[in-house]
Amino acid sequence: MKKWQYTDRIIAPSLLAADFGRIKEETTRAIHSGGDWMHLDVMDGHFVDNISFGPAIIQAIHETNDVFLDVHLMISRPDHYLPRFIEAGADMLTTHLEAEHNVAETLHRTRAAGCLAGLAINPATQFEQTIPYLTEIDMLLVMTVVPGFGGQSFMHETMAKVEAAAAHRKQHGLSYHIQVDGGIDTTTAPIASTAGANVLVAGSSTFKAPDMAAAISEIRTA
Ligand code: DX5
Ligand code: ZN
């Protein structure tokens, strides 16, 4: 698996914006267009007001491609479903701080299963609440929209948290990726990147672009 530097921009196309009737072909299209990771949004209709897909779809993608699967669990009980997502082939499992689970235990179980562990926070959650867990994670996801739907506008006010996360990482010699998710395009990618984010999730701006390869390359260099 490729080792990433924080100076590299990792572009993770979000499958939520793909044509769901052609999920495997859409994944292949994202990889051939230069996507680094596949971002897979799992929604349970309870933690967020939308329902997307579950482990069976992730397994189907895993069996077709060896792309890094960055699985974002927007579900109320990540602890209960964790083994099924690990079994399905997730490389990174990101769970929300706001969900109903013992966060430290979930992160520990994720890593113990050989998976990378991400921790996500909603726009309303403060960065300080993540501090107890930052030594135990591989990635912090700072949501740049209220989760649930693709195609929303980037919330600029979340950038203060990205800056705080990058400063904390440096100050404490830690090594987590900082991911942003929601409303990322050629205008907002450089803003997030300057604030300190190195993993950029992009759904609408990649899958719905007329030329996906050009869109990913522009987000990478913007
Ligand atoms: C939002 C999801 C995102 C979504 C982003 O709840 O977590 O990953 O797919 O979509 P865009 O890039 O269209 O804002
Ligand atoms: Zn997401």
Side-chain angles (χ1 to χ4, degrees):
M1 194 185 298
K2 182 167 173 179
K3 278 276 177 200
W4 296 92
Q5 306 295 324
Y6 298 125
T7 46
D8 297 329
R9 261 188 217 178
I10 299 173
I11 313 296
S14 170
L15 195 73
L16 197 64
D19 175 353
F20 273 23
R22 306 169 58 248
I23 272 194
K24 290 184 184 178
E25 294 89 332
E26 287 285 78
T27 306
T28 305
R29 183 164 75 97
I31 300 165
H32 288 170
S33 300
D36 301 305
W37 294 359
M38 276 311 295
H39 183 81
L40 305 177
D41 288 305
V42 178
M43 304 178 176
D44 66 353
H46 187 253
F47 183 75
V48 290
D49 188 27
N50 198 2
I51 300 176
S52 58
F53 49 79
I57 295 289
I58 291 168
Q59 185 162 348
I61 296 168
H62 174 64
E63 284 169 3
T64 325
N65 300 283
D66 63 358
V67 66
F68 185 94
L69 298 182
D70 164 31
V71 178
H72 177 192
L73 294 182
M74 286 162 275
I75 64 176
S76 292
R77 291 291 309 277
D79 54 337
H80 180 71
Y81 291 100
L82 207 62
R84 292 184 230 184
F85 287 101
I86 291 165
E87 181 73 15
D91 293 291
M92 168 95 74
L93 270 175
T94 298
T95 52
H96 271 263
L97 183 67
E98 304 87 357
E100 297 160 28
H101 61 137
N102 180 324
V103 175
E105 204 173 288
T106 298
L107 296 171
H108 176 76
R109 284 173 58 206
T110 303
R111 281 180 152 185
C115 210
L116 297 182
L119 180 65
I121 50 169
N122 285 338
T125 303
Q126 299 307 306
F127 165 72
E128 286 66 31
Q129 290 177 248
T130 68
I131 291 177
Y133 310 107
L134 296 178
T135 54
E136 312 301 326
I137 63 171
D138 301 291
M139 185 173 81
L140 181 70
L141 164 52
V142 177
M143 288 303 301
T144 43
V145 296
V146 175
F149 297 90
Q152 304 183 76
S153 300
F154 180 85
M155 296 169 70
H156 287 263
E157 60 269 35
T158 59
M159 289 301 98
K161 291 192 279 187
V162 171
E163 287 166 5
H168 183 95
R169 181 175 67 195
K170 191 172 180 197
Q171 194 184 347
H172 296 270
L174 298 174
S175 60
Y176 47 84
H177 294 284
I178 301 174
Q179 183 176 58
V180 284
D181 183 9
I184 298 296
D185 57 20
T186 50
T187 306
T188 54
I191 296 169
S193 176
T194 302
N198 67 301
V199 187
L200 310 181
V201 175
S204 311
S205 65
T206 58
F207 274 105
K208 295 194 192 323
D211 181 343
M212 192 178 197
I216 290 175
S217 143
E218 283 161 18
I219 291 168
R220 196 185 298 288
T221 55

